Amino acid sequence: MSDGRYHDRVPPRSDPRPSAAARFGWHPEPGLIGVDDVATSREALDRLGEMAWAASLDYLFEEGLRRSMGEPAGYAALRRTYYGPDAEGPGPAPVGPTAMPRLLEEFRVRLAPYQLNAWHPRTLSYFTPPPLVASIVGELLTQFTNQGVDVWHAGPSGAFVEEEVGRWLCDLVGYGPESFGVLTSGGVMANFMGMTVARDVHLARVLGLDRPPRGRRLDGVRVYASDQTHFSIARALDELGFPPETLHLVPADERFRLRGRPVAEAVAADRTAGFTPFAIAAVVGSTNTGSVDLTGELADVAVREGLWLHVDAAYGGGALLSARDAFRVPDLARADSITIDPHKWFFQAYDIGALVVRRGEQLLETFHRSPEYYRGGEGAVGRAATAATGTGEPAEPDDDDGGQLNYYQRSMEGSRRWRALKLWFSWKHLGTDGLGRLVAANIDLAAYLARRIAASPDFEALPPEPELSVLCFRHLPGGAAAAATLEPAALDAHQDRLAHELEASGDGWLGTTRLRGATWLRAGIVNYLATEADVDRILDDLRAIAEAAPVVDPVRDP
């Protein structure tokens, strides 16, 4: 039955529209612009879809699976290849149109051969996994629907998909019903938001303030982390107005893990010196080594000392997907806030990170500010009643738009893309069990690499066994005894040369890092296409490169 609203009474009417060719005939492909001209645009879009999908598969099979890294070229050489030999940089924007077949051909020739190829099974460096096909499909639909998941009305069902995915993440880490998850661009933004909540909610309470602390109120406080913490924690504190000495780095143990006792000792020393401890920033799955801080011990310290515990589990949080391996990242539910990056160990296409907080209302406490043009969280009937009565409460009981889920009130971002759909597709497509199988396979492969290295006289690992799926190791030319006679700088240069030559060959890709003053090769295994045969081949490649280019010791061999 109609309630007299206009949308129930408006009569159907025809709205003849000019053709796409009539409106956009200045373009060689008017049907790709005037997509409301179904008679011509559907066929044009079908053809484009076929061409674009073919270009994607051509990249996958002809480039992505052919080389671990694009055609070898240094930065300057690749700039010349891209911009042209006589150009110093970008030229002017194009003035006229270009047809899509020509643009796709330009992609094939100018761009596709020069990519980081995450699909290649021996790409084992950065935390860039091959994205699940379900994630790619979700991303395609995300772009077509073009939802803005900031104010509910700009992405109505999109907000619910993100709410649902956020709940799945909260459940995964063991949080209760009062928790909440917000998707971000990645771990940097999630860590930034986590430290913002810690400042505005927890530090305000520690200092006995009735408003978020700013300016001089941020002096003399302390946040504790190890030297393995992600750079984004220090960056966040800097951008949030804290002085540089706020971050107190506490030595990690022999396995690069932050433990409770040294943090407790640092807290006690700082209190004696007149400082105000307020937070611990732990890491579960460090980028450098995959190390897992002892979250339970740190939570004990946090509770005892009244500190906020933020855990950066951007990479390691994915271990919870594997029922077999969840024990490797225990006690996450005791943290106040947690960073998780689905574009790492959930095998998602860029970009998608997440911040989950144990008490969801703290996001609103921190980010709740509402501009006039959003008028968020209050429905149309409620706004009309408020305007009419001057009260703060809607007068009508049937306002089903009230209490809207507006993500700009729970996040640093205003405009927000619909990041949740691809994870929603992937999680439903594989299930937690399926995602966990992929994670477990990566952990098994890292363990296999560690066993191969332990059995090889010309390699060593640090630490010898991985916590998760990251392993740092180095080649010892001539074996351990011979390598010990080399100058450290020569041995370091040898690792860099191995990594460079392996990447240039296109047969594999490892990163390098610095641990305890030395250079190490780093395998970060988040590639679900990699196998034991790929690990064996990388080790063989490294030995072949070493044999072809012996170490030059400037002291021993002047």
Side-chain angles (χ1 to χ4, degrees), residues 192 199 218 232-244 246:
F192 188 96
R199 179 194 67 177
L218 303 179
S232 57
I233 296 297
R235 175 183 286 181
L237 294 175
D238 183 48
E239 297 299 327
L240 289 170
F242 291 95
T246 298

Side-chain angles (χ1 to χ4, degrees), residues 19-20 23-24 29-38 40-41:
S19 68
R23 287 174 289 161
F24 306 107
E29 298 167 314
L32 299 183
I33 302 175
V35 296
D36 54 348
D37 181 4
V38 180
T40 59
S41 67

Side-chain angles (χ1 to χ4, degrees), residues 199-286:
R199 179 194 67 177
D200 286 7
V201 174
H202 187 70
L203 181 57
R205 294 172 185 170
V206 168
L207 298 176
L209 305 177
D210 59 1
R211 64 184 63 186
R214 298 289 187 270
R216 61 182 179 83
R217 296 287 193 179
L218 303 179
D219 293 342
V221 303
R222 291 291 182 267
V223 175
Y224 302 90
S226 83
D227 60 0
Q228 296 300 302
T229 196
H230 196 264
F231 74 86
S232 57
I233 296 297
R235 175 183 286 181
L237 294 175
D238 183 48
E239 297 299 327
L240 289 170
F242 291 95
E245 60 272 16
T246 298
L247 186 60
H248 185 149
L249 294 181
V250 178
D253 68 8
E254 72 284 353
R255 296 184 63 85
F256 303 98
R257 305 173 303 178
L258 185 64
R259 307 203 60 161
R261 182 174 179 178
V263 172
E265 292 170 351
V267 169
D270 281 341
R271 289 198 192 281
T272 299
F275 299 114
T276 302
F278 90 95
I280 301 171
V283 60
V284 166
S286 67

Side-chain angles (χ1 to χ4, degrees), residues 180-184 190 193-194 197 310 337-339 353-357 363:
F180 200 82
V182 176
L183 299 183
T184 68
M193 287 172 51
V197 176
H310 174 75
S337 55
I338 303 169
T339 288
L355 175 70
V356 294
V357 294
L363 291 169

Side-chain angles (χ1 to χ4, degrees), residues 206 220 246 315 505 510:
V206 168
T246 298
Y315 153 57
S505 75
L510 299 171

